Amino acid sequence: MSLIQYRLWRYLTLWDSPSLWDRAARSGRTASPLGRSLKKRLGFAGFVKSWNPSPCPLPKGEGILTGVTARKRKILVVDDDPGIRASLAVMLHSWGFEPLQACDAPEAATMVEHEDPDIVISDVVMPETSGLELLKKLKSGDPHRPVLLITAQGSIDMAVEAMKQGARDFLTKPLTDFPKLKSLLDDAEREIELRRKAKRLTTRIEVEAGSGEFVGTSKAMREVFALIESVAERDVPVMITGESGTGKEVAARTIHRLSRREGKPFVAINAAAIPESLIESELFGHERGSFTGAVATRQGVFEQANGGTLLIDEIAEMPMSLQPKLLRVLADGRVRRLGGNYEFEFDVRVLASTNRDPTKAIEEARLREDLYYRLNVVPLSLPPLRARAEDIPLLVQHFINEFNVKHRLQIMGATDEAMAMLRAYPWPGNVRELRNITERSVVLAKGEWIEENALPPYVRSPALRAEKLVFSVGETTVAEAERELILRTLEHAGKNKAEAARQLGVDVKTIYNKLKAYGIEE
């Protein structure tokens, strides 16, 4: 169809509409001789069928169809006016859609049941069943199916009410604002595709995303899953290493869940979170009166975890004076409470974790080498999130599903733009940080989707991200470190001296004086 043919077709289409014919008759106007001739010879349906337009009927660079790609979304057009139905069908076909037509609500309901259209365009005022009643039926069957309404000027109030009940938008008759219609259909298509992506992600999470609470399909995580599954049934100690937030405790719980000890207790103790004066009592327990404040007998974690699994988190932070005692308990399989006279046998699988490099911790005298070898029978290293960015969409969808239940929300997923920002962020806090940001975004989301504005500013803008400074010990003076810190902070604050002073916790005069001393006049 050439541009001339298209314009001719539009001219004939408008005049073929019964409502426009009636208006013309009232005003004394009639269709053109060519229009009457073609209408008489072919009828409108035959006229449209005889052209059989292709998905892209206009020459390149002409008209509103520029850049359209072939798509096969089904769009159902519901209108009692055959001219409007036919003209919309041709337009939709030219945009690459598969148009379906129904003359009233009952036929539309049958068409929806058999054809399952992706989008519905419906007139508001129709005989017998109105478009409003049809909207209710459509939303009861599939609440997410986009429905666009067409209305005459006199029924705009009704269309607004329909939008409150779930209609996506409305257009007014005569339908001439084709760019708006195209924009609405493009938006509806994007939402349909987002829903399908979210559904596919949820299915992948259920079917192939990992083991237990672990989520991921990357090569690095598949290797972690394989090692966990192979070692879970083998009752040996495991040393779990990885940066903070990578899921070391989750890994330990997964090992416990897959082991023969699943039905027994899982106890975790964080060596870095317990004061040095209390950690021995936490580990081994104490008898009443064994020290000031010991008003009752208390079991240690070895007794609490008897028959199950014990995780000693942040093992490299445990006081060096206590590590030989722990080594002795692990070697003997017996523990004596503080102030006690008897030793208790225990049957516990011990797992340990640390966010440090164990070999460096040994060199720095933070971890005993013999204790390390006792615990490091099977090493398990968890990758940082930045090393498996392909898992971020799965993790985000997993957390969205989790927080939907927690907060009683119905967030469908993240938009493509928001997901691109999440994938580009370096995630210094790893999965823990991603989980927290996802919960924040779920709570702040304005609609069914997490959009860019629901993400923290430092995720949206790389310029707002904190920058780390690394200095070589023994090679950097205090003055050099101070100068670098001030200049970097000033740059991060956009050359705003007051803001830089606030971030550094100094008076703004100090910034001016330092810059003057550095020979920098700004």
Side-chain angles (χ1 to χ4, degrees), residues 4 48 106 136 159 168 172 179 181 192 207 260 320 323 331 333 349 356 386 403 409 421 459 468 470 480:
I4 295 176
V48 171
K136 293 178 181 178
R168 189 175 185 87
T172 57
L181 174 61
I192 290 170
V207 175
R260 61 178 179 82
M320 287 293 286
Q323 293 184 26
R349 181 182 193 174
R356 296 180 181 272
R386 61 182 175 276
F403 295 128
L409 296 171
M421 291 180 177
V459 173
K468 292 184 178 180
V470 179
E480 290 171 341

Side-chain angles (χ1 to χ4, degrees), residues 203-378:
T203 302
R204 288 181 64 193
I205 291 169
E206 295 172 352
V207 175
E208 58 177 277
S211 178
E213 299 176 58
F214 263 133
V215 174
T217 58
S218 62
K219 182 177 182 294
M221 288 309 295
R222 289 199 304 270
E223 292 174 354
V224 169
F225 299 150
L227 183 55
I228 287 176
E229 290 175 357
S230 64
V231 79
E233 288 294 332
R234 311 293 185 264
D235 210 16
V236 295
V238 179
M239 174 69 82
I240 307 171
T241 59
E243 297 179 7
S244 294
T246 51
K248 295 185 290 295
E249 185 171 338
V250 174
R253 291 184 180 276
T254 304
I255 290 173
H256 173 71
R257 183 180 59 82
L258 297 177
S259 72
R260 61 178 179 82
R261 300 175 181 269
E262 180 184 8
K264 300 295 182 178
F266 175 89
V267 179
I269 181 173
N270 190 320
I274 303 172
E276 187 172 348
S277 59
L278 297 177
I279 189 169
E280 187 172 0
S281 173
E282 288 290 326
L283 278 172
F284 308 133
H286 63 258
E287 297 288 352
R288 178 181 178 182
S290 59
F291 55 86
T292 302
V295 296
T297 299
R298 187 181 187 282
Q299 290 184 337
V301 291
F302 283 93
E303 291 182 74
Q304 295 173 30
N306 193 35
T309 304
L310 170 64
L311 170 64
I312 305 177
D313 195 11
E314 304 301 350
I315 185 68
E317 312 306 317
M318 181 177 288
M320 287 293 286
S321 60
L322 186 58
Q323 293 184 26
K325 299 178 183 179
L326 175 60
L327 180 61
R328 175 66 180 271
V329 168
L330 294 175
D332 294 347
R334 294 191 299 271
V335 62
R336 179 184 295 176
R337 298 172 185 164
L338 295 181
N341 297 319
Y342 304 100
E343 290 186 336
F344 299 89
E345 290 188 354
F346 61 83
D347 175 23
V348 173
R349 181 182 193 174
V350 178
L351 309 176
S353 67
T354 178
N355 60 8
R356 296 180 181 272
D357 181 342
T359 57
K360 289 185 178 180
I362 293 172
E363 292 174 1
E364 297 169 358
R366 292 178 174 273
L367 180 63
R368 286 179 61 99
E369 190 171 10
D370 48 3
L371 178 60
Y372 169 68
Y373 291 131
R374 168 67 65 173
L375 295 171
N376 193 46
V377 175
V378 178

Side-chain angles (χ1 to χ4, degrees), residues 70-71 99 110 159 166 180 214 220 271 278 300 335 344 370 391 446 473 504:
R71 293 164 292 189
T110 302
K180 180 179 179 180
F214 263 133
L278 297 177
V335 62
F344 299 89
D370 48 3
D391 289 333
K446 300 300 183 182
V473 177
L504 290 169

Side-chain angles (χ1 to χ4, degrees), residues 194 197 389 392-393 396 413-427 434 450-452 455 458-462 465:
L194 282 174
K197 285 182 180 179
I392 289 176
V396 170
T415 64
D416 290 342
E417 294 79 7
M419 189 63 73
M421 291 180 177
L422 291 172
R423 294 193 65 164
Y425 182 65
W427 299 109
L434 176 61
I450 294 176
E451 299 182 349
E452 306 98 297
L455 301 176
Y458 59 87
V459 173
R460 301 197 302 265
S461 175
R465 296 171 191 169

Side-chain angles (χ1 to χ4, degrees), residues 76 82 86 94 96 113 137 146 150 196 219 235 267 325 355 380 387 392 426 476 481:
L76 174 61
S94 71
E113 182 178 352
K137 293 180 181 178
I150 309 174
R196 291 185 177 177
K219 182 177 182 294
D235 210 16
V267 179
K325 299 178 183 179
N355 60 8
L380 175 61
I392 289 176
T476 307

